[in-house]
């Protein structure tokens, strides 16, 4: 029987955290639970007329270890530069340290996370995809993935969006049998039960900094 946390909608939306250090590496995740979350993900709105996306659910230990190695390789030997996000964190060194500690933990133990989820979307690979093409593609897979993550949280599972393995996307495609030329991987999401189920809302920027009314 699937355990539910019975969170309110607001609790669910404000406490679905990026979980790294509190992933339970020793407890298996039942296929039934994953299938419930995936079923709910299929109900997400899509940016295209048809659902042109899919998930690869990786539970095989050898494939998880190989994906974890590609994740680490993507961090240690990236094939392309990742642009800065433009945010200056120097006024919050404690947050920087927490982020480093959390990331280092996942770096060390990713191969032990019981489930790795790879959200994918069907595309036609182009050298320079246009804004509409990107919006349609990511506007389909991102809502479905977020729905999965919310459903997982309600069932006591933790998740976190990661992208370093995409530095070696072709190698990951070969590992998982994903047709590289027509299917784009968008993330690698560790999935596990959490150590404790209580999470608090995170500190976020004031609404005035992100909400623009009628003009920027």
């Amino acid at each position: 029987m699937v355990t539910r946390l019975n969170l309110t909608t607001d609790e669910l939306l404000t406490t679905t955290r990026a979980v790294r250090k509190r992933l339970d590496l020793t407890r298996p995740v039942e296929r039934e639970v994953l299938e419930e979350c995936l079923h709910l993900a299929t109900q997400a709105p899509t940016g295209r007329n048809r659902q042109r996306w899919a998930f690869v659910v990786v539970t095989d230990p050898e494939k998880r270890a190989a994906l974890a190695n590609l994740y680490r390789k993507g961090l240690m030997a990236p094939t392309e530069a990742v642009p800065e996000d433009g945010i200056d964190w120097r006024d919050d060194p404690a947050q920087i340290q927490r982020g480093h500690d959390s990331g280092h933990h996942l770096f060390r133990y990713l191969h032990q996370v019981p489930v790795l989820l790879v959200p994918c979307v069907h595309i036609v690979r182009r050298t320079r995809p246009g804004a509409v093409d990107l919006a349609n593609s990511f506007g389909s897979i991102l809502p479905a993935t977020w729905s999965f993550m919310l459903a997982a949280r309600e069932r006591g599972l933790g998740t976190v969006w990661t992208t370093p393995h995409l530095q070696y996307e072709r190698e990951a495609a070969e590992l998982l049998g994903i047709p590289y030329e027509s299917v784009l991987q968008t993330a690698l999401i560790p999935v596990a039960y959490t150590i404790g189920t209580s999470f608090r809302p995170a500190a976020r920027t004031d609404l005035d900094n992100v909400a623009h009314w009628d003009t920027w």
Side-chain angles (χ1 to χ4, degrees), residues 21-39:
K21 297 180 74 173
R22 289 177 60 182
L23 295 173
D24 190 337
L25 306 178
T26 64
R27 182 179 174 185
V29 179
E30 302 86 346
R31 179 166 178 154
E32 176 190 6
V33 179
L34 295 170
E35 288 180 342
E36 281 196 5
C37 296
L38 291 168
H39 176 73

Side-chain angles (χ1 to χ4, degrees), residues 11-201:
E11 287 172 337
L12 182 63
L13 291 172
T14 56
T15 63
T16 301
R17 303 265 63 83
V19 185
R20 300 177 183 90
K21 297 180 74 173
R22 289 177 60 182
L23 295 173
D24 190 337
L25 306 178
T26 64
R27 182 179 174 185
V29 179
E30 302 86 346
R31 179 166 178 154
E32 176 190 6
V33 179
L34 295 170
E35 288 180 342
E36 281 196 5
C37 296
L38 291 168
H39 176 73
L40 291 169
T42 66
Q43 294 297 316
T46 179
R48 294 188 182 277
N49 292 328
R50 292 186 296 139
Q51 290 180 327
R52 298 283 293 162
W53 52 259
F55 291 110
V56 180
V57 185
V58 185
T59 59
D60 177 81
E62 292 185 1
K63 291 184 178 181
R64 285 190 285 116
L67 278 177
N69 285 337
L70 290 176
Y71 170 92
R72 297 181 185 110
K73 190 176 179 181
L75 288 171
M76 301 298 292
T79 60
E80 60 181 78
V82 178
E84 294 291 335
D85 58 15
I87 299 175
D88 189 350
W89 297 108
R90 286 176 295 181
D91 60 343
D92 193 353
Q95 183 169 346
I96 294 175
Q97 188 59 52
R98 287 194 298 271
H100 285 171
D101 292 346
S102 179
H104 183 65
H105 181 86
L106 190 65
F107 183 94
R108 291 183 61 191
Y109 296 108
L110 179 59
H111 62 287
Q112 294 184 31
V113 178
V115 180
L116 299 178
L117 185 76
V118 182
C120 301
V121 62
H122 291 269
I123 61 159
V124 177
R125 286 191 186 264
R126 300 187 179 96
T127 303
R128 292 179 180 273
V132 174
D133 190 11
L134 286 174
N136 283 337
S137 295
F138 285 96
S140 296
I141 186 59
L142 292 181
T145 305
W146 182 232
S147 288
F148 175 92
M149 296 167 86
L150 291 171
R153 161 68 175 143
E154 168 62 13
R155 288 156 179 77
L157 299 170
T159 58
V160 56
W161 182 281
T162 80
T163 56
H165 96 286
L166 297 176
Q167 299 278 358
Y168 294 91
E169 184 194 359
R170 188 182 290 273
E171 288 84 346
E174 293 175 358
L175 173 70
L176 301 176
I178 298 172
Y180 178 81
E181 296 301 329
S182 60
V183 175
L184 176 74
Q185 300 168 56
T186 61
L188 175 66
I189 299 178
V191 183
Y193 282 103
T194 57
I195 300 171
T197 58
S198 178
F199 290 86
R200 295 178 296 178

